[in-house]
Amino acid sequence: MSTFTPGDVLLIGEACSVQFAGDRALRLRLVSVDQSPTYHGWVWLTGYVLNDKGLATDKREVYVQRAGVRVLRATPVPTPGRPTRSAAIPNVRQDRRPAGVPATPQRRAIPGRRTAGHG
């Protein structure tokens, strides 16, 4: 029994279920695998249907036989010792204002000044 990883591109065809026979087969970029109990050998998969250019066209949830699913492109497994992108980027303070400076300019009320439209 193979395991599927989010990000894998799967071929859902006739071997998965008769409803995907012929031109109804689809390529699915996997988002999640439902862990709920089902009939033995069957699984609920959620993902995005890919067109010929590899672009997502629709989000689908399909109920298929696990043994019939073909992995067309597996998600690469991170190699140990090599930092991920988020680890390679140093922490940068997003707010570059000096401490105590307000985020937006504050308008001071001037005594005796009237705002436009109030008579």
Side-chain angles (χ1 to χ4, degrees), residues 7-116:
D8 289 352
V9 176
L10 309 174
L11 177 63
I12 308 296
E14 186 174 10
C16 300
S17 175
V18 292
Q19 71 187 30
F20 299 109
D23 63 346
R24 298 194 64 185
L26 51 95
R27 289 184 305 144
L28 189 81
R29 184 183 315 124
L30 188 64
V31 172
S32 65
V33 179
D34 191 344
Q35 298 301 318
S36 302
T38 61
Y39 289 107
H40 180 73
W42 290 78
V43 64
W44 281 102
L45 302 176
T46 303
Y48 290 97
V49 177
L50 303 178
N51 65 11
D52 294 336
K53 295 179 182 179
L55 301 175
T57 58
D58 192 19
K59 187 170 185 178
R60 295 273 306 263
E61 189 173 54
V62 295
Y63 186 61
V64 294
Q65 290 184 26
R66 182 181 287 271
V69 177
R70 282 187 32 216
V71 178
L72 297 177
R73 187 175 65 232
T75 303
V77 178
T79 54
R82 184 173 178 208
T84 61
R85 176 148 170 75
S86 60
I89 299 173
N91 289 335
V92 176
R93 188 169 159 239
Q94 295 297 315
D95 189 2
R96 296 185 181 264
R97 291 177 285 110
V101 175
T104 58
Q106 301 295 315
R107 189 171 192 174
R108 293 193 122 156
I110 301 172
R113 181 176 177 196
R114 294 183 181 208
T115 56

